[in-house]
Amino acid sequence: MKTRPVHILVSKESGARSRDDIVCHRSAAELPPRSLIYVNRDVLVTSPALTFLHLATVDLHKKRQRTVEELALIGLELCGTYLLDDSWDGLTNTAKPLTSVEQIARVLDAMPGAPGIVRAREALELVSDGSNSPMESVLCALLTWPRRLGGYALGPVSLNHRVSTADGDRYVDVAFPGHKVGLEYKGRKFHAIEQAGRDDRRQNKLVGSGWTILNVWYEDIVEEHLYNQLVADVARAMGIRLRIRSGGFDARRNVLRMQLIPAFKQYAAALAR
C-alpha cells in the first residue's frame, strides 16, 4: 500500500464506514468465480480482470473518470508481460501476463449491470494480448485503434507473434499476420554493436520465412515527419492504400499521440539514464 487513503471493496450489507485513511466501495452485484485472490487468510485483493472493470469507474488519484484510451493502455499492460513501476528503467518484465482479453471479457459478461461496464467493454475492444513493453503498446494503439480515436485502423494485429523459421521459432513485436508484415521496435538510434548484430540476424531469419520486417526507432514515433513516413511504409508493405478524408482525423490523430507520447518519453528518458 503506497498511497492513502486505501480503497477497499465491501458487500452491500456491510456495516463498514469510510474514514480519512480508508474509502469503502460497496458492491451490490455477486462477484464471478475467481475474481478475488487470497493474499493471506484475512486479506483478499481483486483479480486483474475485476480490477480492470473497477478502473473504468474513476481514476482514484486524479478524481475523474478515465478515458477509454487510458483504460485500454492499462488493459494492454495487464494482458502483456510488463508492469510499469518505480524501478530504474520504469518497468518489470514478467514471465506471463497477469490476465488476458478473454478472462476480462468473462468477468464483464458475468456483471452486465456493474458500474463502468459500458466503458470497460469499449476499452477492451482496443486491447490485444502479448505486449512486451510500453513501446509495443503505443505502436499497437497508433496503428490499429479506430480512426474515430485517431488511430489508423490497420489490423488485425498480433503482439509478440510467433513465426516458425528453419532455425526455430522467432517472435515479432507487432505483427500483421494476414499480410506477413511485422514491426520490430529498436529503441533509440544507438544500439550496442553486439545487440544490433543479434537483432539483424534475428530479422534475417524472419525475412527468409517470407515476412517483411520494418524497424521502428523512438524518433519514428515522436517526430512528426518520421511518424508520417512510418505509417506510409507500413501501409505500403501491407499493400493498403490509406484513404483518409480529413473530417477532423488529423486533430484526433494528434490528440491520441499527445496522450501516448508523454508516458513514452518518460520511459525512454529512464532508459537513457
Side-chain angles (χ1 to χ4, degrees), residues 186-251:
K186 298 288 188 177
R188 289 202 181 260
K189 287 184 177 178
F190 303 102
H191 265 44
I193 294 176
E194 296 83 357
Q195 179 65 44
R198 285 195 297 268
D199 288 347
D200 290 344
R201 285 189 289 273
R202 173 169 168 263
Q203 180 171 317
N204 290 343
K205 301 299 182 184
L206 293 167
V207 172
S209 298
W211 278 72
T212 298
I213 301 298
L214 303 177
N215 295 321
V216 181
W217 307 91
Y218 172 79
E219 291 77 8
D220 293 324
I221 297 175
V222 299
E223 295 183 17
E224 180 72 15
H225 70 287
L226 293 178
Y227 177 60
N228 291 337
Q229 185 61 56
L230 171 64
V231 173
D233 289 344
V234 173
R236 188 179 303 110
M238 295 174 68
I240 294 174
R241 183 178 178 183
L242 290 176
R243 296 181 177 88
I244 299 176
R245 299 173 181 173
S246 184
F249 174 76
D250 288 344

Side-chain angles (χ1 to χ4, degrees), residues 10-238:
V10 299
S11 65
K12 183 179 180 181
E13 297 78 15
S14 171
R17 295 184 178 181
S18 297
R19 61 190 197 193
D20 290 343
D21 59 339
I22 296 177
V23 177
C24 297
H25 300 270
R26 303 189 183 280
S27 176
E30 183 177 350
L31 299 180
R34 296 186 295 278
S35 57
L36 296 176
I37 300 171
Y38 277 92
V39 176
N40 57 42
R41 187 181 63 181
D42 302 313
V43 179
L44 297 89
V45 296
T46 55
S47 69
L50 182 57
T51 298
F52 181 83
L53 173 59
H54 289 166
L55 292 175
T57 57
V58 67
D59 185 326
L60 299 176
H61 300 295
K62 296 180 181 178
K63 302 294 188 297
R64 63 168 176 79
Q65 195 171 41
R66 284 184 173 85
T67 66
V68 169
E69 295 90 331
E70 289 171 332
L71 186 58
L73 284 177
I74 294 173
L76 282 160
E77 180 182 350
L78 292 174
C79 297
T81 54
Y82 69 93
L83 299 172
L84 299 178
D85 57 25
D86 297 327
S87 60
W88 72 272
D89 59 354
L91 64 78
T92 297
N93 284 108
T94 60
K96 60 182 182 180
L98 291 177
T99 187
S100 67
V101 172
E102 182 181 359
Q103 290 173 348
I104 295 175
R106 283 203 297 265
V107 168
L108 301 187
D109 290 342
M111 303 182 69
I117 189 70
V118 174
R119 184 173 295 266
R121 287 187 188 280
E122 187 177 354
L124 189 61
E125 291 180 358
L126 307 176
V127 178
S128 298
D129 291 319
S131 178
N132 193 47
S133 75
M135 313 311 195
E136 293 171 21
S137 294
V138 168
L139 273 173
C140 175
L142 291 173
L143 295 176
T144 70
W145 283 6
R147 293 177 183 177
R148 60 182 172 80
L149 297 178
Y152 278 93
L154 301 175
V157 69
S158 177
L159 302 180
N160 281 285
H161 181 75
R162 183 171 63 185
V163 177
S164 296
T165 74
D167 292 331
D169 291 341
R170 297 291 186 269
Y171 292 85
V172 180
D173 292 343
V174 180
F176 300 93
H179 300 272
K180 299 190 88 170
V181 172
L183 280 68
E184 290 286 289
Y185 181 74
K186 298 288 188 177
R188 289 202 181 260
K189 287 184 177 178
F190 303 102
H191 265 44
I193 294 176
E194 296 83 357
Q195 179 65 44
R198 285 195 297 268
D199 288 347
D200 290 344
R201 285 189 289 273
R202 173 169 168 263
Q203 180 171 317
N204 290 343
K205 301 299 182 184
L206 293 167
V207 172
S209 298
W211 278 72
T212 298
I213 301 298
L214 303 177
N215 295 321
V216 181
W217 307 91
Y218 172 79
E219 291 77 8
D220 293 324
I221 297 175
V222 299
E223 295 183 17
E224 180 72 15
H225 70 287
L226 293 178
Y227 177 60
N228 291 337
Q229 185 61 56
L230 171 64
V231 173
D233 289 344
V234 173
R236 188 179 303 110
M238 295 174 68

